[in-house]
Amino acid sequence: MAKYIIKRILWAIPVLLGVLIIVFTITYLTPGDPVQTILGNGYTPEKYAKKAAELGLDKGYLAQLGSYIWNVVTRFDFGKSYMTNIPVITELTTRMGTTFSIAFLSIIVTILIGIPCGIIAAIKQYSALDYGFTSFALICSAIPSFVIAPVLLVVFGVKLRWLPLSGLDEWKSYILPVFVNALGGIALLTRMTRTSMLETIRQDYIRTARAKGLRESVIIWKHAMKNTMIPVITVTGSWLAMLMGGALIVELIFSIPGLGTYLYGGISNRDYPIINGSVILTAFIVCMMSIVVDILYAVVDPRIKAQFSSGKKKKKSVQAAKEAA
Amino acid sequence: MSLLEIRDLTIQYKTRKSVVEAVNGINLKIDEGKTLGLVGETGAGKTTTALGILGLVPNPPGVIAGGEIYFEGKDLLKAKDSEIRKIRGNKISMIFQDPMTALNPVIRVGDQIAEVIALHSGCSKSEASAKSIEMLELVGIRAERSTEYPHQFSGGMKQRVVIAMALACQPKLLIADEPTTALDVTIQAQVLEMMNDLKVRLNTSMLLITHDLGIVAETCDDVAIMYAGQIVEYGTLAHIFDNPMHPYTIGLFGSIPSLDKDVDRLTPIPGLMPDPANLPKGCNFCERCTRKCDRCAESEPEYLEVEPGHFVRCSNLNGGAENV
Amino acid sequence: MKKLRTLVCLLLVVLMVLALGACGSKKSDDAEISKAAVPGKEGSGYKYDSVTIGCSIMPNFITGTTPAENDGACSLVFDEVFKVDPVTKEVKSEILEDWHFEDDTTLVMKLKDNVYFSNGDKATAEDVLFSYSSHVDRSSAYIWEFNILYDECEIVDELTLKMKFSTFYSAFFSSYIIYLYDKSWAESVGWDSLDWQKPVGTGPYVVSDYKIDDHATFTARDDYWNKDKDPVTIREWVLKYYKDTSTMEMDLEAGNIAMCQFSASEYERFQKDGGKGYDVLTGSAGVNHFFQMGFLENDCWYDKNIREAFAVGIPWDEFGQVVLGVTWKQATSSVPSDSPEYKNVGTYKYDLEKAKQLMTAAGYSEEKPLEIHTVTMESPYFSKCCEAFEYYCNQMYVKFTFDLKDIAATINDWNTPGSGVECGFYYDNFGSQDGQYVRGLDWAANPNGSNWTFIDDEYYDNLYLEVAASTDLQTRIAKSQELQQYTYDEFLAIPYSEMTFQVGYRTDVFGKAQMERAVMNSEYWNLANMSYASAWN
């Protein structure tokens, strides 16, 4: 198992390198010149040349790519923002904390609400609860977050004055952004869990469990849950990866200085170091998240774990059985 | 008094468009220590009957429309949910058809057996585990394998695990729904032998559902032939095998290939079973029957006792095997 | 089922906590200004301990760069070398003891003796010179926008310097906003350093906290050299950054910030529904919106008939109302009406028939319309402009096409001849309230410069230069009015609205008279001024 994890992590490196090269190339080729953006219009050729040399943009493509990769690999130096001169790595690490905290809170709320709702909807299929939950999920995913967020702001921030509207000064500030993020996730997770659970309880082994005389609740929680979780883990993992990359709309509307707005600003200004650095970080998050998801699969489904286990495991289980007998 | 007595049981599957009459007023009886073979082709209603006994008919759309099922004197259809749960796995156990999907893939095999033991006997976890290992050894699986997962077993071994699980609490009645259909012939023989052995040792009654007359001959004491949701012939093994009276039964025996004769073609029963959502007015078998007359299509045949303990549902009972 | 029950209980608990939290905040809400402005502590001498306002760009203290400097923040930590009084139009200075012209082209400046930076350094003539010369060294936007700097400068003694000009332009005093920088400090940290987030200046405040894209906090200095002049009533300003302006406006309404700029749409809503606890004032921005004929390609605009056709063929007042909504204010000259140089030259009377005749005379018709194209930035305002313009053009044998791109791609096109940028919708800083022309000499002669018109008109260029170089106010006013009339007669630029800005402020924090004065003088952003005790009357 450990060998597998190490192998996956090592595989992430060429993936990240590939992402780096592709993103670098795309931003290089996109129309729009950071030097022009900084200088505005009406500059002289000399001024342009001077600024370009300052930013290292006068060298050829390969030279720029080469020096960038070298800096990243040897010193974790992602360069400095052309606009603000702040080192990208500094900004990324600061904003990571903000974005990740919201992401983790959101996913916890999503899981706590989404999964039980999906399970209830599946168990009581065709009942009022089922229709209620699935309709709610549909509405939540149909209404975009940039509509929900301002509405909530107006209701809770302006009219009722219960919650702060922007920034992350106090714990109350987290409520609305987390909630808006969670709504989208809940919609997704409810539907996913419901579908998966419906499929699972139709399986033969559930019938066997019933024939053993077990109570419905035990059947759901002990026999059906683990099997239901596999597609749910996939979906949750990718949702969390997306949130960790920075949910842009939420960050914009609630004025949260996170990774999403950082990348957005970078793109508008053609601030290449910001764009490249943010994308690499996002790619890294996605790689790590997929490794975590794979590990969780192995935890939940022993058939998958069996692919990784070595001889050691078998010996251990034999020992245990012998002791039990 | 018999261990299990089914009276006039009717089970239907109600969909929005139609009503599928799966089981129509059947009567069965199983005494202690005896094995009843329930024979019929696919779609006759055998599995539904078995599920009906344990209250496992999926609802919706299944509905028990009438009848009584007496087990140890109590009507199961009128019992509360909690009472039925106490009986399932404990007094009445069921083995299903497909061993490949009958076990939960993410729980260890030993744990799955221990679960049913702990549930019904209330003993501690370690005791239950010890007992489950005993059961596994009983069905011929080594103790070390109790910590393995179902996917690590072959089909035949999985079925053995299922049997071990079913017999763990020493039930009075074992319902086996085509337990060997999914297995190859050699394993089939092994499993049957084991089942017989256990049956004798634990004095378990069995309701064996099958379409294989060979198996019936080896294991059953009584036989009931089921067609289109009705019992068309019922009797002891000798009754059915030596003196089949219903045209369907006769047809079944006739379609078995024989090692002695040398024929070019087999003789099946022509036609197909009627659509259970749309059963014919008179006798269900009328369409395919060689003995039919005008009366058959109009009215339901009566269920007559032709010999003591031997019942046939037919309107044209003069003659027997000779008339076919 | 038991687990489900526990989950439901958990949810209920969470909801209860939320409700309690809300109740808690409701109580403190009785003091409505709890977040926007914290009242000053007893005996501290401050009216407010802290005031929070909203801004949509983070403070930047280096002038003439991109992103542009945030004047509001700069006013707190720096003193300007020269400042034009917005009411009397006099040139004043906080830090100079005296300045005078030795002759027409030599300016002598003498610093006060007691000016100190926040790090203890004493302000000297070197610092004054450095504050100006750094623009050249950094080739800041000031230089290429209007290079009217001295030719050479001599340091006479510790507090005195002498600047020699080839021609002195009055814009030197008003348009060059020169904050006094500390030469030794600036040179030691360099222009790229992050230390510039908390710069050293002679102003009444220092930056105590700077968190990018979040907020900046300014705290009053105890050792402010000019403390006795006018006590500061606000101990701490918090500039809260908002990426999304609607959230900022909502925060004002909710009472979390005390002042912020309002967008046109929000102002429209305010006019209809009013606001609880806050008011919105309108001020003149000192510039006009105008339709710019020409940019990179200008051929068609050289025909006076065509220019006239555009002037009379489009109902410009209606156009202005469509694109600007409630913030539209009729423009009756190329210069805003509150400028001392303003002359009411009138508007163009809408006459579609005449326009069509002119276009026909120029050789265009319904089948063969004049095709013009432009590239501009993707934003609600510009897309409204382009769409409305397209509609009106269709009625007068003109086919107008446009591309909306993001900022970087637009700027790229604006710098690339052949991109098809033939006109634009712009605003410019002419005849601003202080009555000075901003644009310098090279712009008048430069066909690619961004002045009112891109058309080469010798008479216009010469008149323009005369206005810019007039140091006598009366002469300048006369020349400017002549220029305005000429522009109108020759259809060189078509203004469609005066530019206004809206400022929202909480009525329980700032006084109405105070805000009206600030807004009228376009000084609402001068937070230092707003802090002085005298401002509150």
Side-chain angles (χ1 to χ4, degrees):
Chain A
M1 192 72 202
K3 259 205 281 189
Y4 172 73
I5 298 175
I6 293 174
K7 215 168 48 149
R8 286 295 303 276
I9 294 178
L10 286 177
W11 258 112
I13 296 176
V15 167
L16 290 177
L17 209 59
V19 167
L20 176 54
I21 295 175
I22 292 174
V23 169
F24 191 91
T25 311
I26 291 177
T27 50
Y28 185 84
L29 295 172
T30 310
D33 185 343
V35 183
Q36 280 180 356
T37 312
I38 295 173
L39 299 179
N41 61 333
Y43 50 81
T44 57
E46 295 91 41
K47 200 167 179 226
Y48 185 93
K50 183 168 165 216
K51 198 75 183 172
E54 228 178 87
L55 300 174
L57 292 171
D58 52 344
K59 292 183 256 173
Y61 165 72
L62 282 174
Q64 285 186 44
L65 179 62
S67 64
Y68 185 73
I69 295 179
W70 179 253
N71 282 336
V72 170
V73 171
T74 51
R75 288 179 297 168
F76 280 135
D77 177 10
F78 288 86
K80 292 203 263 195
S81 155
Y82 294 151
M83 287 287 165
T84 60
N85 245 349
I86 300 178
V88 172
I89 187 80
T90 318
E91 275 291 304
L92 284 178
T93 39
T94 324
R95 286 163 185 264
M96 256 200 314
T98 317
T99 301
F100 286 6
S101 59
I102 296 184
F104 286 129
L105 284 172
S106 306
I107 205 74
I108 290 173
V109 173
T110 305
I111 292 176
L112 282 181
I113 299 182
I115 293 184
C117 285
I119 294 176
I120 297 174
I123 303 174
K124 300 209 188 323
Q125 199 186 12
Y126 306 129
S127 70
L129 265 177
D130 178 23
Y131 285 129
F133 283 144
T134 35
S135 321
F136 175 72
L138 195 61
I139 294 173
C140 280
S141 49
I143 303 181
S145 49
F146 56 81
V147 171
I148 296 182
V151 167
L152 291 176
L153 267 185
V154 169
V155 171
F156 288 100
V158 180
K159 294 274 185 303
L160 292 173
R161 304 242 185 132
W162 282 0
L163 298 170
L165 277 82
S166 59
L168 288 176
D169 309 315
E170 34 170 352
W171 67 269
K172 276 194 248 176
S173 322
Y174 282 89
I175 296 177
L176 280 180
V178 165
F179 186 66
V180 174
N181 268 340
L183 270 183
I186 288 172
L188 187 63
L189 212 55
T190 305
R191 288 213 315 266
M192 201 66 230
T193 311
R194 179 183 177 274
T195 312
S196 183
M197 176 60 90
L198 281 177
E199 234 183 82
T200 308
I201 53 179
R202 303 245 181 285
Q203 297 293 318
D204 281 345
Y205 52 82
I206 299 293
R207 192 172 56 171
T208 310
R210 281 211 193 97
K212 288 203 279 194
L214 294 166
R215 272 181 312 177
E216 271 305 299
S217 59
V218 174
I219 294 177
I220 301 290
W221 288 102
K222 191 163 158 210
H223 285 261
M225 267 314 267
K226 268 195 181 176
N227 290 287
T228 311
M229 279 304 115
I230 294 171
V232 172
I233 289 175
T234 318
V235 157
T236 311
S238 58
W239 185 258
L240 179 59
M242 189 206 79
L243 288 180
M244 282 165 82
L248 179 59
I249 308 257
V250 164
E251 286 185 14
L252 269 178
I253 292 182
F254 294 99
S255 257
I256 294 169
L259 292 173
T261 46
Y262 191 53
L263 177 58
Y264 175 68
I267 293 173
S268 310
N269 295 328
R270 302 291 189 276
D271 211 326
Y272 296 151
I274 294 182
I275 299 175
N276 294 334
S278 298
V279 173
I280 293 170
L281 177 64
T282 310
F284 177 74
I285 293 170
V286 171
C287 281
M288 289 302 121
M289 193 49 57
S290 63
I291 294 177
V292 167
V293 165
D294 278 353
I295 295 173
L296 280 176
Y297 282 157
V299 165
V300 167
D301 192 341
R303 292 172 287 190
I304 298 176
K305 196 195 238 171
Q307 294 172 20
F308 314 135
S309 68
S310 54
K312 270 194 211 171
K313 285 253 158 166
K314 219 161 182 188
K315 283 197 194 148
K316 274 195 189 160
S317 58
V318 167
Q319 290 264 355
K322 281 206 175 137
E323 278 164 51
Chain B
M1 200 188 47
S2 353
L3 181 66
L4 178 77
E5 191 167 336
I6 301 179
R7 285 195 210 145
D8 206 25
L9 180 64
T10 307
I11 303 179
Q12 293 168 345
Y13 290 105
K14 291 203 168 124
T15 65
R16 255 178 271 168
K17 291 187 196 150
S18 55
V19 175
V20 175
E21 294 169 293
V23 177
N24 302 312
I26 62 166
N27 292 284
L28 288 177
K29 216 162 40 140
I30 307 179
D31 291 321
E32 278 203 39
K34 298 280 192 195
T35 303
L36 170 66
L38 187 56
V39 182
E41 31 182 302
T42 318
K46 317 188 292 289
T47 308
T48 309
T49 310
L51 293 177
I53 297 175
L54 274 179
L56 288 176
V57 177
N59 174 21
V63 154
I64 301 199
E68 293 125 6
I69 302 178
Y70 288 99
F71 179 73
E72 288 184 335
K74 272 184 64 180
D75 185 0
L76 293 180
L77 294 179
K78 294 200 175 65
K80 281 189 293 194
D81 232 8
S82 49
E83 287 172 357
I84 301 243
R85 268 190 271 124
K86 286 210 194 91
I87 293 177
R88 285 185 200 147
N90 192 12
K91 298 264 179 67
I92 308 181
S93 281
M94 189 152 169
I95 300 172
F96 295 94
Q97 196 169 338
D98 188 1
M100 303 303 282
T101 55
L103 294 168
N104 194 329
V106 301
I107 303 181
R108 292 178 214 270
V109 147
D111 291 337
Q112 295 194 44
I113 302 177
E115 186 181 24
V116 72
I117 297 172
L119 176 68
H120 293 294
S121 64
C123 59
S124 73
K125 257 179 108 172
S126 46
E127 281 174 31
S129 291
K131 269 213 83 183
S132 78
I133 292 179
E134 260 180 54
M135 285 309 301
L136 282 174
E137 295 196 313
L138 203 59
V139 296
I141 296 178
R142 295 193 325 274
E144 299 95 68
R145 302 206 71 184
S146 75
T147 52
E148 288 179 6
Y149 290 94
H151 66 267
Q152 292 166 287
F153 291 79
S154 69
M157 307 216 76
K158 276 209 258 268
Q159 191 65 303
R160 292 203 219 177
V161 172
V162 170
I163 294 170
M165 204 160 66
L167 295 175
C169 294
Q170 306 196 327
K172 286 270 163 83
L173 173 65
L174 175 67
I175 305 177
D177 187 357
E178 306 202 41
T180 54
T181 308
L183 305 170
D184 64 80
V185 189
T186 46
I187 305 296
Q188 216 177 65
Q190 278 179 31
V191 170
L192 280 174
E193 201 187 299
M194 184 188 66
M195 278 172 70
N196 265 336
D197 191 41
L198 290 170
K199 191 192 83 172
V200 166
R201 250 207 276 176
L202 305 173
N203 198 26
T204 314
S205 307
M206 193 155 61
L207 173 63
L208 180 62
I209 299 173
T210 180
H211 56 259
D212 187 337
L213 289 166
I215 295 178
V216 171
E218 277 198 33
T219 54
C220 298
D221 300 311
D222 299 305
V223 186
I225 312 282
M226 200 160 171
Y227 184 80
Q230 289 172 324
I231 306 285
V232 296
E233 187 156 2
Y234 178 92
T236 65
L237 192 63
H239 287 154
I240 302 297
F241 273 71
D242 295 335
N243 190 16
M245 302 218 64
H246 194 279
Y248 179 61
T249 321
I250 299 168
L252 278 181
F253 280 109
S255 55
I256 300 174
S258 166
L259 281 173
D260 314 324
K261 301 207 194 104
D262 184 16
V263 292
D264 285 332
R265 311 192 92 194
L266 298 169
T267 32
I269 307 172
L272 293 168
M273 214 166 36
D275 177 11
N278 202 2
L279 289 173
K281 201 161 73 152
C283 171
N284 287 343
F285 190 61
C286 195
E287 281 272 318
R288 305 162 82 184
C289 190
T290 46
R291 283 211 299 238
K292 65 170 179 244
C293 64
D294 302 315
R295 225 177 343 137
C296 298
E298 288 304 307
S299 56
E300 287 259 0
E302 286 164 34
Y303 195 54
L304 301 166
E305 190 167 5
V306 296
E307 308 175 71
H310 185 178
F311 298 80
V312 184
R313 187 189 292 274
C314 185
S315 309
N316 293 322
L317 280 176
N318 38 321
E322 310 110 40
N323 277 14
V324 175
Chain C
M1 281 308 133
K2 221 211 257 173
K3 282 207 186 156
L4 268 165
R5 245 184 274 148
T6 24
L7 270 164
V8 171
C9 289
L10 200 68
L11 274 170
L12 281 170
V13 168
V14 169
L15 280 168
M16 269 201 303
V17 172
L18 266 176
L20 282 171
C23 292
S25 75
K26 261 221 141 123
K27 285 211 197 89
S28 64
D29 243 328
D30 289 340
E32 269 215 355
I33 52 171
S34 55
K35 282 213 84 173
V38 178
K41 301 200 178 70
E42 291 287 327
S44 63
Y46 290 115
K47 188 173 160 86
Y48 288 111
D49 194 60
S50 139
V51 174
T52 308
I53 65 172
C55 63
S56 49
I57 43 168
M58 281 301 283
N60 172 26
F61 301 101
I62 307 175
T63 49
T65 53
T66 306
E69 65 269 17
N70 180 330
D71 285 321
C74 290
S75 73
L76 291 170
V77 291
F78 293 114
D79 284 314
E80 290 176 61
V81 179
F82 287 111
K83 213 164 149 350
V84 175
D85 186 311
V87 182
T88 64
K89 307 296 181 204
E90 277 180 73
V91 178
K92 293 197 177 136
S93 174
E94 291 277 333
I95 54 159
L96 293 181
E97 167 112 16
D98 170 68
W99 74 95
H100 63 271
F101 281 93
E102 243 176 28
D103 52 59
D104 273 346
T105 53
T106 311
L107 176 65
V108 180
M109 295 190 261
K110 183 156 190 258
L111 256 184
K112 287 187 189 161
D113 197 20
N114 59 342
V115 184
Y116 284 89
F117 289 101
S118 56
N119 63 354
D121 287 353
K122 183 162 179 212
T124 64
E126 292 270 2
D127 295 315
V128 178
L129 175 57
F130 174 78
S131 305
Y132 280 94
S133 64
S134 76
H135 283 281
V136 179
D137 302 333
R138 298 184 274 123
S139 26
S140 82
Y142 277 32
I143 298 305
W144 59 259
E145 272 188 12
F146 38 101
N147 192 353
I148 50 176
L149 216 50
Y150 51 82
D151 286 342
E152 50 176 29
C153 184
E154 182 199 325
I155 305 283
V156 174
D157 59 46
E158 198 203 356
L159 301 173
T160 319
L161 63 155
K162 219 186 265 196
M163 285 183 176
K164 294 203 181 68
F165 299 82
S166 45
T167 318
F168 181 80
Y169 293 92
S170 43
F172 182 81
F173 285 131
S174 58
S175 312
Y176 262 25
I177 300 175
I178 303 292
Y179 296 114
L180 187 62
Y181 290 152
D182 184 354
K183 178 173 179 178
S184 48
W185 177 78
E187 281 180 339
S188 67
V189 296
W191 296 107
D192 286 340
S193 158
L194 289 180
D195 286 346
W196 272 99
Q197 289 178 347
K198 299 184 183 172
V200 166
T202 56
Y205 291 85
V206 281
V207 181
S208 50
D209 193 22
Y210 190 102
K211 191 167 168 220
I212 195 149
D213 280 2
D214 194 60
H215 71 277
T217 311
F218 297 80
T219 314
R221 274 171 72 194
D222 285 327
D223 57 345
Y224 179 45
W225 62 272
N226 214 359
K227 216 171 160 178
D228 302 320
K229 171 191 88 170
D230 200 350
V232 165
T233 54
I234 295 174
R235 192 188 68 87
E236 195 175 80
W237 285 95
V238 179
L239 263 62
K240 199 164 170 200
Y241 172 77
Y242 292 86
K243 194 112 193 159
D244 183 41
T245 52
S246 53
T247 313
M248 181 169 77
E249 289 148 3
M250 274 194 260
D251 247 350
L252 182 81
E253 194 166 338
N256 294 327
I257 54 172
M259 181 171 78
C260 71
Q261 192 144 0
F262 259 51
S263 62
S265 52
E266 197 51 35
Y267 182 54
E268 205 165 324
R269 196 193 58 79
F270 170 79
Q271 284 204 323
K272 266 192 244 143
D273 304 333
K276 224 173 48 166
Y278 69 95
D279 194 16
V280 181
L281 297 176
T282 301
S284 169
V287 300
N288 281 354
H289 290 281
F290 62 97
F291 174 64
Q292 191 179 44
M293 289 183 280
F295 195 103
L296 289 181
E297 276 87 42
N298 312 311
D299 298 335
C300 62
W301 305 114
Y302 280 92
D303 185 345
K304 184 172 171 180
N305 286 337
I306 292 183
R307 297 203 303 272
E308 187 177 352
F310 273 91
V312 303
I314 295 177
W316 287 105
D317 284 352
E318 200 177 283
F319 176 84
Q321 283 164 351
V322 165
V323 302
L324 290 166
V326 296
T327 61
W328 174 78
K329 187 171 171 199
Q330 188 182 53
T332 45
S333 172
S334 33
V335 163
S337 53
D338 49 0
S339 162
E341 288 144 33
Y342 165 74
K343 176 185 176 186
N344 187 340
V345 298
T347 54
Y348 298 111
K349 188 159 173 296
Y350 179 48
D351 190 342
L352 187 57
E353 284 313 309
K354 185 158 182 223
K356 284 197 201 160
Q357 283 167 15
L358 287 163
M359 291 303 287
T360 317
Y364 297 103
S365 63
E366 186 106 30
E367 294 77 39
K368 221 173 124 303
L370 168 66
E371 292 184 15
I372 51 173
H373 182 83
T374 193
V375 175
T376 190
M377 288 179 252
E378 173 93 62
S379 79
Y381 173 72
F382 284 118
S383 50
K384 259 192 258 180
C385 286
C386 291
E387 282 164 15
F389 192 65
E390 181 186 30
Y391 169 76
Y392 290 120
C393 281
N394 277 336
Q395 299 173 336
M396 51 174 267
Y397 310 149
V398 176
K399 183 162 163 242
F400 172 67
T401 50
F402 57 95
D403 274 327
L404 297 175
K405 302 187 181 177
D406 76 348
I407 300 174
T410 308
I411 292 178
N412 190 26
D413 278 0
W414 286 0
N415 286 317
T416 315
S419 314
V421 189
E422 291 164 319
C423 64
F425 303 94
Y426 216 57
Y427 58 86
D428 228 327
N429 212 351
F430 293 99
S432 51
Q433 291 173 310
D434 48 39
Q436 310 293 335
Y437 280 98
V438 169
R439 297 300 176 221
L441 302 170
D442 41 353
W443 282 81
N446 182 356
N448 284 340
S450 184
N451 54 20
W452 292 339
T453 173
F454 288 87
I455 298 138
D456 267 331
D457 186 316
E458 209 183 306
Y459 184 77
Y460 173 90
D461 288 347
N462 290 336
L463 193 49
Y464 187 96
L465 282 171
E466 283 179 46
V467 176
S470 305
T471 47
D472 170 49
L473 185 62
Q474 295 311 314
T475 320
R476 196 167 61 248
I477 290 176
K479 292 280 178 200
S480 170
Q481 292 186 343
E482 208 186 310
L483 188 59
Q484 289 170 51
Q485 190 64 54
Y486 184 75
T487 308
Y488 177 83
D489 294 336
E490 294 295 306
F491 315 102
L492 293 176
I494 305 176
Y496 56 85
S497 173
E498 297 198 5
M499 184 188 264
T500 57
F501 64 87
Q502 281 73 32
V503 177
Y505 69 98
R506 288 210 63 90
T507 47
D508 43 25
V509 179
F510 296 114
K512 180 151 188 179
Q514 172 188 27
M515 282 305 297
E516 276 179 342
R517 263 201 309 272
V519 167
M520 184 183 76
N521 301 326
S522 220
E523 289 261 295
Y524 72 94
W525 49 260
N526 192 327
L527 301 174
N529 273 356
M530 291 194 74
S531 317
Y532 296 132
S534 52
W536 293 90
N537 307 328

